[in-house]
């Protein structure tokens, strides 16, 4: 089942760093690639002029400390910052988008091209396909609230972690700090495609994963990794989402 994603363009490219390299040297030793072509198994999209792919690829410096549990990133988004809706409107790219049955867009993309998100969301909604997003960072819930809430009615599956959930609840005045209550309230926000109920998935580090669906909460325990086996948590959340989406695309 084809999955179309725009996350690749906006993620701090930390997930590219080779964990062992980062661990040993603290910093990646070579520039990291962020283009769709290099990251995705989908065919590369064609670009209009000026092309985001004519801009240099993004780079990211990562410092990992405390035995892999803490990290600091400084990202230069470069090409990732130049995506526009016109890129999606090119027939060849639009065809790729329309061919997919599942969509996943990172919240970071709200800072680049919210119009592109709406275009994909509308397409998914009209065709009863699965549209997923990630809160991605507390600052997006706060400072990109308006574009986020325009996209929100299209979201079938929402990912986020506990700090993002807390900020989302605060901004929307949910009047609760309980992650389960926040998940239920978030799932119940207005939704365009009534044929699918919204699923909200909140991770909490090593604590249980909270899933809200149909007014009910399900908790999933996390398999704990012994500290000595932990090298680097870079990209762990993205790997989690990847795993979940691979199941979703299989089951649907
Ligand atoms: C949750 O996400 C924020 C960024 O949005 C990150 O700073 C924080 O470390 C994450 N929490 C955990 C437990 O991974
Ligand atoms: C997306 O969601 C997961 C699960 O909450 C989180 O750990 C991860 O950091 C998020 N990543 C991005 C780039 O949005």
């Amino acid at each position: 089942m084809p999955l179309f994603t725009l996350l690749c363009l906006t993620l701090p490219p930390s997930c590219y760093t080779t964990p062992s390299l980062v661990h040993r040297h603290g910093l990646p030793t070579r520039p990291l690639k962020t283009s769709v072509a290099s990251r995705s198994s989908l065919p590369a999209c064609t670009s209009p002029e000026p092309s985001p792919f004519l801009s240099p690829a993004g780079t990211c410096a990562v410092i990992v400390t405390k035995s892999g549990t803490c990290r600091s990133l400084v990202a230069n988004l470069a090409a990732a910052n130049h995506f526009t809706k016109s890129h999606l409107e090119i027939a060849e790219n639009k065809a790729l988008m329309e061919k997919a049955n599942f969509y996943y867009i990172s919240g970071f993309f709200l800072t680049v091209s919210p119009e592109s998100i709406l275009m994909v969301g509308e397409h998914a909604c009209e065709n009863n396909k699965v549209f997923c997003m990630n809160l991605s960072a507390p600052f997006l819930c706060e400072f990109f609230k308006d574009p986020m809430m325009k996209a929100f009615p299209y979201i079938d599956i929402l990912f986020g972690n506990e700090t993002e959930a807390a900020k989302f609840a605060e901004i929307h005045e949910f009047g609760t700090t309980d992650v389960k209550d926040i998940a239920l309230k978030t799932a119940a926000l207005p939704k365009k495609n009534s044929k699918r109920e919204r699923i909200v998935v909140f991770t909490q580090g090593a604590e249980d994963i909270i899933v809200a669906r149909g007014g009910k909460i399900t908790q999933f325990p996390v398999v704990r990794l012994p500290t000595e086996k932990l090298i680097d948590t870079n990209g762990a959340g993205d790997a989690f989402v990847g795993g979940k989406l691979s199941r979703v695309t299989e089951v649907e």
Side-chain angles (χ1 to χ4, degrees):
M1 284 285 185
L3 168 74
F4 184 87
T5 167
L6 290 176
L7 94 153
C8 45
L9 295 161
T10 53
L11 274 178
S14 56
C15 40
Y16 276 111
T17 51
T18 325
S20 55
L21 270 184
V22 172
H23 187 56
R24 258 185 279 127
H25 308 300
L27 291 176
T29 51
R30 58 192 153 81
L32 305 159
K33 295 186 178 179
T34 56
S35 77
V36 165
S38 66
R39 285 205 57 181
S40 159
S41 56
L42 289 173
C45 290
T46 311
S47 309
E49 302 296 327
S51 161
F53 302 113
L54 292 179
S55 308
T59 46
C60 182
V62 186
I63 298 175
V64 180
T65 50
K66 295 202 179 143
S67 310
T69 54
C70 293
R71 62 189 189 267
S72 303
L73 316 177
V74 180
N76 162 29
L77 295 176
N81 244 353
H82 299 289
F83 195 101
T84 59
K85 194 179 162 194
S86 62
H87 186 73
L88 266 185
E89 279 162 347
I90 293 177
E92 203 180 331
N93 299 340
K94 199 160 178 240
L96 281 176
M97 190 267 277
E98 290 177 347
K99 203 171 126 189
N101 299 313
F102 301 88
Y103 302 90
Y104 174 58
I105 304 185
S106 143
F108 288 114
F109 202 71
L110 288 164
T111 69
V112 180
S113 181
E115 309 80 27
S116 303
I117 299 181
L118 294 182
M119 183 175 161
V120 176
E122 274 156 25
H123 170 81
C125 178
E126 279 161 17
N127 296 280
N128 193 26
K129 294 172 173 180
V130 182
F131 183 79
C132 316
M133 279 197 77
N134 196 319
L135 291 177
S136 299
F139 83 90
L140 294 165
C141 304
E142 188 167 9
F143 303 110
F144 290 84
K145 179 184 171 190
D146 292 348
M148 183 185 277
M149 294 325 286
K150 272 195 188 161
F152 221 86
Y154 297 108
I155 301 178
D156 296 306
I157 307 180
L158 179 75
F159 296 96
N161 81 6
E162 73 280 44
T163 44
E164 295 150 8
K167 181 53 86 177
F168 190 82
E170 179 196 321
I171 298 298
H172 295 277
E173 298 178 351
F174 280 177
T176 176
T177 51
D178 182 282
V179 184
K180 291 178 213 143
D181 288 343
I182 298 171
L184 288 172
K185 289 197 163 156
T186 307
L189 287 172
K191 189 168 183 310
K192 286 238 161 122
N193 180 4
S194 52
K195 290 186 203 131
R196 293 182 185 278
E197 55 188 3
R198 181 179 293 128
I199 303 171
V200 173
V201 182
F202 285 148
T203 55
Q204 316 187 78
E207 303 307 317
D208 285 6
I209 296 157
I210 306 291
V211 177
R213 179 181 202 163
K216 287 200 186 71
I217 289 288
T218 318
Q219 283 176 248
F220 297 90
V222 170
V223 181
R224 282 184 189 250
L225 200 66
T227 320
E228 64 275 13
K229 286 208 167 169
L230 194 72
I231 295 174
D232 181 355
T233 54
N234 271 294
D238 298 315
F240 169 81
V241 173
K244 164 79 184 163
L245 289 180
S246 82
R247 282 297 290 151
V248 170
T249 56
E250 245 173 58
V251 169
E252 280 265 345

